Every structure is written in structure tokens, then in C-alpha cells.
Amino acid sequence: MARSTVRLVVTLRSTAGTGAVHVTRKNRLNDPDRLVLRKYDPVIGKHVPFREER
């Protein structure tokens, strides 16, 4: 079964500048702006904001 075109795979990059990356999916219709989530950065060992990159 094919995946929906509404839910896109997005890459979230750490704002701490460590290069850590999380990959997630988002609904393009509900969240048209760039996604910002507070996730764990294993490089520095803290929770930091991760921003969607395009």
C-alpha cells in the first residue's frame, strides 16, 4: 500500500550546532510552517530544540 502524500518525511537538525539529526513525519496540511521539536541531543547529552531543515 502506498504512503500518503500529505505526510512528509522531514529531517530535524539540532540548534546546538552538533550536527545531530532526527527524522520524523509531519502532516503538511496541519503544520505548513517549519517544525520545531525539543529532542534529546546525544552529542551534548541535553534536550535542545531541533528545527526542520529543507
Side-chain angles (χ1 to χ4, degrees), residues 2 4-6 8 13-14 17-18 23-24 26-27 39-42 46 48 50-51 53:
S4 171
T5 58
V6 175
L8 300 175
R13 187 161 306 271
S14 174
T18 59
V23 178
T24 188
K26 79 166 189 177
N27 188 326
K39 305 287 275 181
Y40 182 76
D41 189 336
K46 293 182 180 179
V48 295
F50 277 69
R51 296 195 194 283
E53 65 176 19

Side-chain angles (χ1 to χ4, degrees), residues 23-42:
V23 178
T24 188
R25 299 172 65 82
K26 79 166 189 177
N27 188 326
R28 176 174 33 186
L29 300 178
N30 293 341
D31 297 317
D33 299 329
R34 290 194 183 188
L35 194 61
V36 177
L37 296 175
R38 192 165 180 263
K39 305 287 275 181
Y40 182 76
D41 189 336

Side-chain angles (χ1 to χ4, degrees), residues 1-21:
M1 186 175 244
R3 290 203 171 167
S4 171
T5 58
V6 175
R7 284 202 160 268
L8 300 175
V9 176
V10 295
T11 303
L12 304 173
R13 187 161 306 271
S14 174
T15 58
T18 59
V21 174

